[in-house]
Amino acid sequence: MTDSTHNSQTNGPLIVEGKHADNERLKAESNYLRGTITEDLKDNITGGFTADNFQLIRTHGMYQQDDRDIRNERAKQKLEPLHNVMLRARMPGGIITPTQWLAIDKFSREKTSYGSIRITTRQTFQFHGVLKPNIKLMHQTLNEYGIDSIATAGDVNRNVLCTTNPVESELHQEAYEWAKKISEHLLPKTRAYAEIWLDGEKIEGGTEEGEVEPILGKNYLPRKFKTTVVIPPQNDVDVHANDLNFVAIAEQGKLIGFNVLVGGGLAMTHGDKSTYPRKADDFGFVELAKTLDVAAAVVTTQRDWGNRVNRKNAKTKYTLDRVGVDTFKAEVEKRAGITFAESRSYEFTGRGDRIGWTEGFEGKHHLALFIENGRLLDKPNFPLKTGVAEIAKIHKGDFRMTANQNLIIAGIAAEDKAEIERIARAHGLMADNVSVQRKNSMACVAFPTCPLAMAEAERYLPGLVTDVEAILAKHGAADESIILRVTGCPNGCGRAMLAEIGLVGKGPSKYNMHLGGNIAGTRVPKMYKENLNEEDILQEIDSLVAKWVTERNEKEAFGDFVIRSGIIQEVIVSKRDFHD
Ligand code: SRM
Ligand code: SF4
């Protein structure tokens, strides 16, 4: 089965005319992402970055933040917010070595205010709370260990995801190599990062568009851009959240090419019907040799046709809906010098990580650890972070961060299994009583660090899951689960817009409830009830679960049930159905 939905075939203008958003000016004037960041770094009067640099540091993988729990208190004391940066590393496929892990562990303990390592929904880690005097040191430390944070934020192609399952290792290895190649190919070519953070040799920026950035251009992309390589039947990377996806097609275990899916994305804005989550469209199959050409062609088409006037409608998903899927696809074919072949058959059957031990290729063992919300921190009785560091000290394989915010200790030799499990259990990283429901639940960061959060997410999820576990048990379904995701605002970082129950922050302790995603992650859920408080949410889940367990067909998943039984309408074409 191929997952094909041509969302729309409109033929709107290729270019949106009008006054460009201010971000376009600042990118154009930035001298290829340099701005005046170096000068700003020397300014000790403020802990933050000023003017355009506030935005430009994003293209170097950092966001300026402050602790929202103490913001009002500091304002009362007439103090500037406690500015710091969050850093997000570039880790295609989420692979990190034990030596690299020990380095980031040390930095997070010694130089960040929160002391945590946060595994993200896009297979990498974030530091939160790095003060200005430590920023350069941070980049230099990471660089020493072969890690950078180039283009993990901003209007560029972000960290490239790759299915994490190491069981079919030969195929995974090939797919991972492509994730790395695509990441490198689409990376900004400017030397700004090396110059600013690593004291690299200064090279003049170039003046002609295309001279320095042949793919991204002088103004970079109209908006953020996200890419995955996925190995069916696992859809752990959630392809429909991404602008560009390469679905690995194998014959006799060897990778032969990719089906290409374009135009997924999950964000929306409350009250703005021109924004909506949207699934990616299937463009067809391409042979391996043309992979990078296709990647560049999709990126450059979006670069040239994406909306630079209104950032809310600037992502690839809106470009496809404006110009028409066939028009966009034909342009990609022209630019890549190919004709897409008919998509090869594949099927997605799930998205979760196989928590616990699995045995794979060449007699190696893998231990997937469930990390709630991806937050690695030493908590009383749960020294999770120390546990991972202790494992890193003896582990000879590597670590793989998953897009479900978990961590796989991959490639463990048989003789090391017992000791690694002992360490994991002793540090609270492995427990037999974690429910399937908890493993299938996810939340974004939200408070206290995210400036856009409207409601709690990461801090709300653990208690909510305990309540949902109790509801399932009450209805005799303790061993079952519903894909439950919470995001603190409609940007959707916790991918609630691909969940069976998705909660989207609306205001303090208020959420919109969406229903109807499916297990495979190929359906967008639709709003069921608006502005629910935490008590309402539990009541709604209680009555929905009661109906599900009594009225469902055999083995019918919750998300399928709510659609079949008419509780919610299926979203087939987002632009038409989502706000309907
Ligand atoms: Fe996200 C912005 C956290 C995955 C859609 N996201 C943010 C910021 C940086 C807030 C900001 O702009 O100041 C958040 C920082 C919070 C913090 O304190 O750490 C933030 N996003 C995250 C992470 C850490 C959530 C997590 O719990 O793991 C994820 C980091 C991924 C990474 O490593 O790169 C994260 N963000 C996502 C995803 C999910 C995905 O990609 O699979 C989405 C939805 C998919 C999509 O893009 O459509 C997502 N984040 C957004 C958006 C909305 C973009 C849009 O199309 O409008 C914003 C806001 C923006 O860009 O204007 C945003
Ligand atoms: Fe912040 Fe909203 Fe993303 Fe959550 S969904 S991390 S609240 S931007």
Side-chain angles (χ1 to χ4, degrees):
M1 181 198 90
T2 52
D3 177 39
S4 164
T5 37
H6 274 235
N7 272 300
S8 65
Q9 295 300 337
T10 52
N11 284 307
L14 300 185
I15 311 280
V16 178
E17 301 292 347
K19 186 174 181 294
H20 279 188
D22 191 49
N23 288 59
E24 294 304 316
R25 176 201 56 75
L26 77 89
K27 283 179 282 179
E29 290 175 5
S30 72
N31 185 17
Y32 296 96
L33 309 181
R34 291 171 177 85
T36 53
I37 296 174
T38 306
E39 289 72 27
D40 236 359
L41 263 183
K42 294 181 198 140
D43 179 357
N44 297 327
I45 294 168
T46 168
F49 288 84
T50 52
D52 293 352
N53 298 329
F54 176 86
Q55 294 280 350
L56 281 176
I57 58 167
R58 296 185 177 187
T59 55
H60 302 268
M62 291 172 294
Y63 288 83
Q64 182 171 314
Q65 300 187 325
D66 68 292
D67 185 336
R68 294 182 65 182
D69 285 348
I70 58 168
R71 191 186 278 175
N72 290 345
E73 193 48 46
R74 284 182 69 91
K76 271 191 222 150
Q77 294 172 23
K78 304 219 176 328
L79 292 169
E80 170 179 274
L82 189 56
H83 294 308
N84 58 64
V85 300
M86 171 269 272
L87 171 122
R88 184 183 287 163
R90 186 174 69 94
M91 298 251 125
I95 301 188
I96 180 165
T97 67
T99 310
Q100 289 173 328
W101 189 275
L102 288 171
I104 66 165
D105 177 86
K106 184 167 185 291
F107 186 87
S108 69
R109 283 170 201 275
E110 294 174 359
K111 303 287 179 195
T112 73
S113 2
Y114 298 92
S116 74
I117 294 173
R118 174 58 155 72
I119 300 174
T120 76
T121 52
R122 295 192 67 78
Q123 272 190 321
T124 186
F125 69 86
Q126 286 183 179
F127 291 140
H128 287 99
V130 182
L131 299 175
K132 209 173 186 182
N134 291 324
I135 295 177
K136 212 160 164 178
L137 172 71
M138 167 173 68
H139 287 289
Q140 298 191 340
T141 306
L142 292 177
N143 182 55
E144 199 181 318
Y145 289 90
I147 303 174
D148 65 64
S149 62
I150 303 172
T152 53
D155 297 344
V156 285
N157 178 60
R158 308 274 183 103
N159 193 41
V160 178
L161 307 193
C162 181
T163 296
T164 341
N165 176 6
V167 175
E168 292 136 294
S169 283
E170 220 169 339
L171 182 56
H172 180 276
Q173 190 58 36
E174 278 186 273
Y176 168 66
E177 292 302 332
W178 279 105
K180 272 201 302 191
K181 275 188 235 173
I182 296 164
S183 172
E184 293 295 330
H185 195 60
L186 300 180
L187 215 55
K189 304 289 182 274
T190 169
R191 295 257 313 151
Y193 183 89
E195 281 178 25
I196 299 169
W197 310 110
L198 310 177
D199 296 326
E201 190 192 338
K202 288 203 173 18
I203 296 176
E204 248 331 285
T207 47
E208 291 300 311
E209 182 150 352
E211 186 183 326
V212 174
E213 298 287 12
I215 295 179
L216 299 171
K218 193 173 180 205
N219 273 33
Y220 294 83
L221 302 181
R223 199 69 167 89
K224 55 170 67 168
F225 191 93
K226 297 180 173 177
T227 304
T228 76
V229 176
V230 64
I231 309 174
Q234 262 299 73
N235 181 19
D236 57 343
V237 297
D238 255 331
V239 294
H240 292 293
N242 292 273
D243 299 70
L244 172 59
N245 303 279
F246 292 93
V247 182
I249 303 296
E251 271 176 13
Q252 278 100 41
K254 285 291 290 171
L255 188 63
I256 57 155
F258 296 103
N259 286 354
V260 177
L261 301 186
V262 180
L266 304 184
M268 57 185 163
T269 302
H270 288 312
D272 180 348
K273 291 192 175 176
S274 76
T275 66
Y276 42 84
R278 181 192 192 277
K279 283 174 54 179
D281 284 287
D282 186 347
F283 275 23
F285 174 82
V286 66
E287 285 171 9
L288 281 185
K290 286 289 181 182
T291 306
L292 297 181
D293 294 338
V294 168
V298 174
V299 168
T300 59
T301 304
Q302 163 61 5
R303 176 196 70 194
D304 297 343
W305 291 359
N307 186 336
R308 291 184 187 261
V309 173
N310 180 357
R311 287 180 67 74
K312 288 209 181 299
N313 298 137
K315 286 207 74 185
T316 317
K317 59 179 176 177
Y318 302 116
T319 314
L320 285 183
D321 277 349
R322 173 168 41 82
V323 307
V325 174
D326 288 343
T327 308
F328 195 109
K329 179 178 155 185
E331 183 68 15
V332 170
E333 289 181 322
K334 192 170 101 195
R335 292 184 187 210
I338 57 136
T339 305
F340 284 107
E342 198 179 319
S343 279
R344 302 295 171 94
S345 181
Y346 69 94
E347 190 177 11
F348 289 138
T349 54
R351 285 180 285 167
D353 299 325
R354 279 180 266 178
I355 301 299
W357 286 102
T358 44
E359 188 177 346
F361 177 68
E362 290 179 339
K364 292 283 187 192
H365 301 265
H366 314 289
L367 178 61
L369 302 175
F370 168 70
I371 311 291
E372 192 159 39
N373 290 318
R375 183 71 69 179
L376 282 165
L377 188 62
D378 284 346
K379 299 178 200 152
N381 302 322
F382 294 98
L384 306 179
K385 194 152 159 266
T386 297
V388 178
E390 289 301 313
I391 292 173
K393 286 179 190 161
I394 61 160
H395 180 42
K396 302 178 198 81
D398 56 42
F399 293 107
R400 292 164 190 219
M401 292 174 280
T402 82
N404 293 307
Q405 304 168 327
N406 293 317
L407 186 67
I408 302 181
I409 321 291
I412 303 172
E415 61 272 22
D416 294 334
K417 271 184 76 181
E419 180 58 3
I420 287 184
E421 177 162 341
R422 187 197 65 72
I423 299 173
R425 286 190 183 276
H427 293 81
L429 287 162
M430 207 175 161
D432 300 322
N433 58 355
V434 180
S435 69
V436 223
Q437 181 55 58
R438 199 166 292 276
K439 291 175 195 160
N440 277 326
S441 304
M442 190 157 84
C444 71
V445 179
F447 287 95
T449 53
C450 179
L452 308 178
M454 298 173 176
E456 295 282 355
E458 180 177 325
R459 298 195 292 199
Y460 171 42
L461 188 75
L464 172 67
V465 173
T466 305
D467 291 336
V468 174
E469 285 168 344
I471 291 171
L472 289 168
K474 177 177 138 190
H475 295 289
D479 294 334
E480 304 198 47
S481 74
I482 298 167
I483 296 178
L484 169 68
R485 295 174 174 180
V486 184
T487 62
C489 83
N491 286 323
C493 305
R495 293 198 293 267
M497 284 305 99
L498 286 170
E500 293 182 286
I501 299 181
L503 297 175
V504 178
K506 188 82 196 295
S509 302
K510 289 281 172 68
Y511 300 83
N512 292 349
M513 182 184 276
H514 291 248
L515 299 179
N518 61 1
I519 304 281
T522 54
R523 204 164 55 215
V524 165
K526 190 172 162 80
M527 181 140 72
Y528 174 61
K529 297 258 164 99
E530 204 172 354
N531 242 350
L532 301 181
N533 64 29
E534 294 172 15
E535 204 185 316
D536 301 332
I537 289 169
L538 294 180
Q539 273 171 13
E540 292 295 345
I541 295 180
D542 190 26
S543 65
L544 288 164
V545 169
K547 266 180 170 298
W548 174 47
V549 298
T550 50
E551 296 171 23
R552 68 180 159 175
N553 292 333
E554 205 194 342
K555 293 197 174 149
E556 189 174 29
F558 179 85
D560 297 337
F561 168 75
V562 290
I563 287 176
R564 183 188 54 79
S565 61
I567 292 171
I568 199 83
Q569 183 203 330
E570 181 175 0
V571 175
I572 299 168
V573 176
S574 285
K575 193 177 176 189
R576 182 192 67 197
D577 307 333
F578 186 74
H579 292 290
D580 180 27

